[in-house]
């Protein structure tokens, strides 16, 4: 008689649920990159309006992450996680069946609200089930899932669009969401902060408003202009609100975010890592499908395949990062990963980005692989460290901080890289303006904006027939030059982030790797390297 296989324990089921759902969240950020062109065929609106298919999800996700973490500590991590997963699944269904752009964007915002609840509580769920070396391995799996979701988004989106149209880029979440809800209800345990008596409503409102204004200004600046009054006022208001939030939290006995933690150099240094990684790696990565489709003329599936060099190292590097975390100091591991991301961006800046030549450039494959390796090594470990730096009862808060840094960084990277790209494209086209008739020169601002979003073919089609070939060559050159500039900026950000870790995570002590969490400034010698 055969022995029945052992049933999965709570820790294993929690890891499965957290990892699969974490795979879906960044996937839904990058999957849209290859679906936008097909969405435009069904909903013929301005391309800048279509960007809200990406931005609506991002804004809701980033603005509500801390709220999700606070509610998870107060109401229960499992409860908030399952509620968020339910909303995310419902939003996916709404987006995939939307009859018009308005309902598509409502679905995307609903997905973002649900994603905030899921992502902010999933790390806390893992922290409650795993300790010591097992926690390091669990967070490595979590990091691999998150990285693969982001990296495979364009490929999976390309498959979905090729097989059944753009709606399946959203509908594929529904069966996964339903399956994970069933497993989550049966296979996860509840935990909460026993000292959380009430919610810091004032702090939550001020912080959410500050993040919302900041992210809104970031995503609208490339189209409106960085000096537009609405953008400047938005950034200024966000800064004022954030300052008010810090002052408010310093007076709270039970703050939403214990801002005093940032006075500790180690915590500040570790908290910078997800922000810098998201700007320097994911901010660049999100523009690659636009290049492949807009300039190189790839189909959605071909564009997805072209970015796979980023994805394979992410998968391989997660377990390697977990093993290195037991042998290297956090300082060296985190800084080393960011140095690899910077090196990958430098290699990518050397690729001859001029149409089909990109597919022949060994620098592209190597650059993507080196950057993906660096990101994969630290993607899970930076979350493990962040959770370990606070009392276990406040793991929801630490998870929310870490997650907010990730998403705000990704948005800042997308907006900042977009600004660099737009400025270089406009400069390069303006430098060649004398080659075109007066009617084209008068429309140069609009044409440059279209080219900067990757719509090179659309911009070319709107110029007179006699100059289309010349304009297309100039637009391709301008976009390629902009991409090289963007890679250079990404490399600089990654180098600065690595240097900041080496400087900040250096005090006697550093990051504790002992089981459980610390309740005082860290003092483990290993973090000094």
């Amino acid at each position: 008689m055969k022995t029945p296989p052992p049933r999965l324990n709570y820790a294993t089921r929690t890891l499965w649920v957290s990892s699969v759902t974490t795979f879906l969240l960044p996937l839904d950020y990058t999957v849209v990159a290859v679906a936008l062109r097909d969405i435009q065929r069904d909903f013929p609106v301005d391309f800048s309006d279509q960007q809200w298919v990406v931005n609506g999800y991002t804004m809701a996700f980033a603005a509500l992450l801390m709220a999700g973490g606070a509610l998870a500590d107060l109401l229960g991590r499992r409860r908030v996680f399952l509620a968020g997963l339910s909303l995310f699944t419902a939003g996916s269904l709404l987006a995939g069946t939307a009859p018009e752009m308005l309902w598509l964007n409502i679905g995307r915002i609903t997905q973002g609200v649900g994603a905030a609840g899921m992502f902010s509580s999933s790390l806390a769920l893992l922290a409650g089930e795993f300790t010591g070396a097992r926690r390091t391995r669990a967070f490595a799996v979590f990091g691999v899932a998150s990285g693969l979701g982001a990296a495979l988004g364009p490929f999976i989106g390309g498959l979905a669009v090729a097989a059944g149209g753009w709606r399946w880029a959203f509908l594929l979440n529904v069966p996964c969401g339903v399956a994970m809800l069933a497993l989550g209800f049966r296979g996860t345990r509840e935990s909460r902060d026993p000292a959380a008596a009430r919610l810091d409503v004032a702090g939550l409102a001020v912080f959410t408003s500050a993040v919302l204004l900041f992210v809104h200004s970031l995503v609208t600046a490339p189209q409106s202009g960085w000096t537009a009054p609405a953008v400047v006022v938005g950034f200024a208001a966000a800064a004022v609100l954030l300052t008010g939030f810090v002052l408010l939290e310093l007076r709270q006995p039970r703050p939403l975010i214990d801002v005093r933690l940032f006075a500790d150099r180690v915590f500040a240094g570790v908290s910078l890592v997800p922000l810098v990684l998201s700007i320097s790696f994911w901010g660049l990565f999100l523009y690659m499908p636009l290049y492949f489709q807009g300039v190189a003329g790839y189909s959605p599936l071909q564009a997805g395949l072209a970015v796979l060099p980023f994805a394979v190292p992410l998968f391989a590097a997660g377990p390697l990062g977990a093993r290195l975390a037991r042998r290297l100091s956090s300082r060296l591991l985190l800084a080393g990963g960011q140095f690899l991301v910077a090196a990958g961006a430098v290699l990518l800046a050397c690729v001859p980005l001029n149409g089909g030549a990109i597919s022949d450039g060994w620098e592209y494959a190597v650059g993507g692989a080196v950057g993906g390796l660096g990101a994969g090594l630290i993607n899970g470990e930076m979350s493990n460290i962040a959770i370990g730096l606070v009392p276990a009862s406040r793991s929801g808060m630490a998870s929310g901080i870490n997650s907010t840094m990730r998403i705000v960084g990704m948005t800042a990277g997308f907006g900042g890289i977009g600004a660099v790209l737009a400025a270089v494209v406009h400069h390069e086209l303006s430098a060649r303006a004398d080659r075109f008739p007066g009617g084209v020169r008068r429309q140069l601002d609009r044409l440059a904006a279209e080219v900067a979003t990757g719509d090179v073919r659309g911009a070319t089609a709107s110029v007179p027939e006699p100059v289309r070939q010349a304009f297309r060559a100039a637009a391709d050159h301008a976009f390629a030059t902009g991409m090289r500039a963007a890679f250079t900026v990404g490399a600089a950000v990654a180098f600065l982030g690595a240097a900041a870790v080496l400087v900040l995570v250096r005090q006697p002590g550093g990051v504790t790797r002992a089981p459980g969490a610390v309740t005082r400034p860290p003092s483990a010698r290993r973090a000094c390297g």
Side-chain angles (χ1 to χ4, degrees), residues 456-470:
V456 178
R457 281 184 283 185
T460 303
S462 67
V463 303
E465 176 68 34
V467 296
R468 282 182 185 171
Q469 185 174 355

Side-chain angles (χ1 to χ4, degrees), residues 75 241 274 317 336 405 454 465:
L75 303 177
L241 285 172
M405 288 292 191
E465 176 68 34

Side-chain angles (χ1 to χ4, degrees), residues 194-270:
R198 64 182 181 85
L199 189 65
D200 179 10
V201 177
L204 186 59
V206 174
F207 182 81
T208 301
S209 300
V211 174
L212 195 61
L213 280 169
F214 177 72
V215 174
H216 182 268
S217 299
L218 272 177
V219 300
T220 56
Q223 286 81 35
S224 303
W226 290 84
T227 59
V231 173
V232 173
V233 170
F235 279 126
V240 171
L241 285 172
L242 192 58
T243 302
F245 171 75
V246 172
L247 296 175
L248 183 66
E249 295 302 281
L250 287 173
R251 301 174 58 186
Q252 289 280 352
R254 187 73 180 174
L256 176 70
I257 299 177
D258 188 355
V259 294
R260 295 178 182 85
L261 286 170
F262 289 94
D264 177 65
R265 291 170 58 184
V266 175
F267 187 86
V270 170

Side-chain angles (χ1 to χ4, degrees), residues 2 20 25 42 196 199 214 256 323 353 377 383 427 454 457 459:
K2 291 184 178 181
V20 172
L25 299 187
D42 284 359
L199 189 65
F214 177 72
L256 176 70
R323 288 194 291 272
L353 296 176
L377 285 175
S383 301
H427 176 270
R457 281 184 283 185

Side-chain angles (χ1 to χ4, degrees), residues 139 146 270-275 277-278 282 333-334 375 377-389 402 406:
F139 274 75
S146 176
V270 170
S271 297
L272 276 175
V273 176
L275 181 71
L277 183 66
S278 294
W282 298 117
L333 180 60
L334 296 178
L377 285 175
I378 62 177
N379 209 31
E381 179 62 10
M382 63 187 181
S383 301
N384 185 23
I385 297 170
I387 292 292
L389 285 171
N402 185 268
R406 286 175 184 254

